[in-house]
Amino acid sequence: MDAAPCIAVDAMGGDTGPAAMIAGLARAHRRDSKMHFIVYGDENLIEAELAKHPKAARAVDIVHTSEAIGASEKPTQAIRRARTTSMGMAINAVKDGKANAALSGGNTGALMAMSKLALRTMPGIDRPALAALLPTLGDTDLVMLDLGANTECDAQNLVQFSVMGAAYARTVLGIAKPRVRLLNIGTEELKGTGELKEAAALLREADYLPLAFNGFIEGDQLSRGEVDVVVTDGFSGNIALKTAEGTARFVTDLLRRAFKSSIRSKAGFALSKPALELLKVHLDPNNHNGAVFLGLNGLVVKSHGGANPKGVANAIRVAAQMVANDITNKIGDDLDNFRAHAFNHEAA
Amino acid sequence: MDAAPCIAVDAMGGDTGPAAMIAGLARAHRRDSKMHFIVYGDENLIEAELAKHPKAARAVDIVHTSEAIGASEKPTQAIRRARTTSMGMAINAVKDGKANAALSGGNTGALMAMSKLALRTMPGIDRPALAALLPTLGDTDLVMLDLGANTECDAQNLVQFSVMGAAYARTVLGIAKPRVRLLNIGTEELKGTGELKEAAALLREADYLPLAFNGFIEGDQLSRGEVDVVVTDGFSGNIALKTAEGTARFVTDLLRRAFKSSIRSKAGFALSKPALELLKVHLDPNNHNGAVFLGLNGLVVKSHGGANPKGVANAIRVAAQMVANDITNKIGDDLDNFRAHAFNHEAA
């Protein structure tokens, strides 16, 4: 492998076939022309899209397959088709050392199951987690995990997620000692489940880790910009993420109604439009596209199925940053450190 | 007790002492002058506030106590002070038949523990749940429960919450057959925890109940106006509620920044102001104040600690509607119905 990252792309996973994936890839390539790509899927469809982006086409190898994982296909079925489907082949490219990261906009459950089977979890990690960036009022986004890979988690899982999330914040956001909190229904020590209390106790003791554990956080504080990493089980994380998305859309829908409610407010809208565009950019999920499966022996990035080319380019940028910063090894070092201390602690 | 509702008010629970509670009570009394109140707390402070509302003062009996439950007091400590604190005395007034409902803006955990101990759960209910109304894009609000009373719930709890939530929607929102969904991380039948799948199976069979069970709902669909009752465990419910509150505040904060970003957008804001006021009203948590503990042999309503007089008046209106519609007996009838069917089912 070269120094420049190579990304294995599942071209068939998004909601609209390869169009957005290829246009996004071209966009990412314009930003960094050293990148290259192996694109898996229907050769004819991929070539038709690449014809629109001749410069990027030169950085692409196509591997043809007519099989793709369906949006509602069960993970247990999908894993049997790992060798023949565009999603499975993209993941295997990472496993075989042909690519540094895989990208897919397809079925999350299938992507997770296939990635776990092909790449296996890192030593010290019991379960991988899905992590993504969320917008805040602060200067940087926050990292949140798990967003749906694990419905139920124990204290050890939550500690491991904290280590992985902090590594994400260090490598992608450039924060030396990220502020980490556990999502809970109150900030007092006695609140929440037994798993949360135990995880908090473990993290409070692990002061040698490159993170600052600040206790619990409630859902209404997520976007205040006062935390860098929020850790939770996959059920609560998915509920929080989707509720935040839905509420942002709800408020902007109400805003649209308000602006349309009178001629006067329509004029007000016309005047405010450039400023409101900034709001739109801030809330556009495409600017936060690219959720990462952390804790595997290799990088897999999930793009939103409905992402536009800008969104796909963002997901590719996330993957490239993680490759460049060698996040997998950084997580490994932190985990070794954690286990060595825990062992000494037990021995003492 | 008279036909007009009598509300027992804990005057000392809110963040600002009795001021907002008494002003809210006066506001509710202006809307319905037949209501009356027993107000518990520091007599001098209460009388000073009531002096500003001479009409409402005539509908109030004051019961003095100098003891109040602290905001961070543990529920286990609080229950020992039920007889002497303003919160405990207000709940006991419901137990003793002196009032139709109790209202407090204090410590939720203490209110829950004291209410459960004094009023006990209804036959057929294992655990009470905290329910409240959330705004939607539709014509009516939605009822969501549990919002934090029970960190973990089994399938039977979720079924009982569905019955109680539907009774809430029928009595307060006037929907004959409310659409009920379980909050989950996907809408396919195989998604989520074992408890959710089992609850869904039970609800699908219970087609004799006065509700339409429509399966699962994800967090991003909550505010679309396509569901009347959303049921979840108290952990996820609290995360969803608070994330929604936080996100709404986040978007309006961004909006405020956008409007202030240039002279042009400031002018746009001035023009749009009347329309934007409607947005503000729609999102104001005071317009949705009043969470109810359902499933007890008596009504207890929780007002937000920071509610303003309008918010307090709203919480009192919720309590009065539930009293007028006899929600406790309606829930009891539905539960009897459910158990009779379940029993026949088992016997068959």
Side-chain angles (χ1 to χ4, degrees), chain B residues 52-346:
Chain B
K52 301 172 193 165
H53 309 281
K55 260 197 185 168
R58 272 176 261 143
V60 171
D61 291 315
I62 303 174
V63 179
H64 173 76
T65 174
S66 56
E67 284 189 48
I69 299 292
S72 55
E73 197 165 333
K74 284 188 191 172
T76 46
Q77 292 175 327
I79 50 173
R80 286 184 223 134
R81 303 207 293 136
R83 284 166 194 280
T84 52
T85 53
S86 55
M87 186 187 280
M89 291 165 84
I91 295 166
N92 280 333
V94 176
K95 183 186 176 187
D96 299 341
K98 290 183 205 151
N100 305 93
L103 176 73
S104 175
N107 185 330
T108 310
L111 186 64
M112 171 73 184
M114 284 174 141
S115 301
K116 211 171 151 181
L117 199 67
L119 300 171
R120 304 278 165 188
T121 49
M122 298 172 62
I125 293 288
D126 299 314
R127 294 178 182 189
L130 190 60
L133 296 173
L134 269 71
T136 74
L137 287 174
D139 297 327
T140 55
D141 291 341
L142 73 85
V143 178
M144 188 151 157
L145 73 168
D146 174 23
L147 296 174
N150 310 283
T151 307
E152 280 157 296
C153 295
D154 65 19
Q156 286 295 337
N157 296 143
L158 295 171
V159 171
Q160 291 162 14
F161 295 174
S162 301
V163 169
M164 299 196 293
Y168 188 145
R170 295 210 312 285
T171 53
V172 174
L173 303 178
I175 299 164
K177 199 167 179 177
R179 297 163 299 176
V180 175
R181 286 180 184 257
L182 294 168
L183 186 63
N184 199 347
I185 60 172
T187 52
E188 305 87 354
E189 277 190 33
L190 55 91
K191 286 275 178 158
T193 60
E195 291 79 19
L196 279 168
K197 284 179 234 179
E198 195 187 332
L202 290 167
L203 286 166
R204 247 178 243 117
E205 277 182 23
D207 53 6
Y208 48 85
L209 288 175
L211 59 87
F213 177 65
N214 291 342
F216 297 131
I217 188 168
E218 294 185 70
D220 57 346
Q221 300 301 312
L222 292 176
S223 48
R224 310 309 293 170
E226 289 156 10
V227 61
D228 305 309
V229 180
V230 173
V231 174
T232 179
D233 65 272
F235 193 88
S236 307
N238 189 282
I239 298 287
L241 177 75
K242 287 191 177 150
T243 302
E245 283 174 6
T247 307
R249 191 155 21 99
F250 171 59
V251 178
T252 49
D253 284 352
L254 288 178
L255 187 63
R256 197 169 299 125
R257 274 194 201 170
F259 278 127
K260 282 184 184 163
S261 63
S262 73
I263 292 174
R264 181 180 154 158
S265 59
K266 276 181 196 164
F269 174 69
L271 266 176
S272 320
K273 210 170 176 189
L276 293 170
E277 285 296 320
L278 290 175
L279 174 73
K280 213 170 141 189
V281 168
H282 207 119
L283 292 176
D284 183 355
N286 283 300
N287 291 326
H288 294 88
N289 190 37
V292 186
F293 288 110
L294 293 176
L296 298 171
N297 296 302
L299 281 171
V300 177
V301 176
K302 168 74 171 75
S303 173
H304 199 289
N308 66 17
K310 187 169 72 169
V312 171
N314 253 311
I316 292 174
R317 188 171 54 89
V318 167
Q321 279 179 309
M322 294 201 156
V323 171
N325 288 286
D326 199 13
I327 190 173
T328 305
N329 280 323
K330 285 212 173 99
I331 291 175
D333 291 346
D334 289 351
L335 286 170
D336 286 346
N337 201 357
F338 177 70
R339 278 178 301 169
H341 274 83
F343 181 77
N344 287 339
H345 198 78
E346 268 175 38

Side-chain angles (χ1 to χ4, degrees), chain A residues 10 12-13 67-74 77-82 85-88 106-107 110-111 114:
Chain A
D10 165 18
M12 312 311 286
E67 284 189 48
I69 299 292
S72 55
E73 198 165 333
K74 283 187 191 173
Q77 291 174 329
I79 50 174
R80 286 183 224 134
R81 305 207 293 137
T85 53
S86 56
M87 185 188 281
N107 184 327
L111 186 64
M114 284 173 141

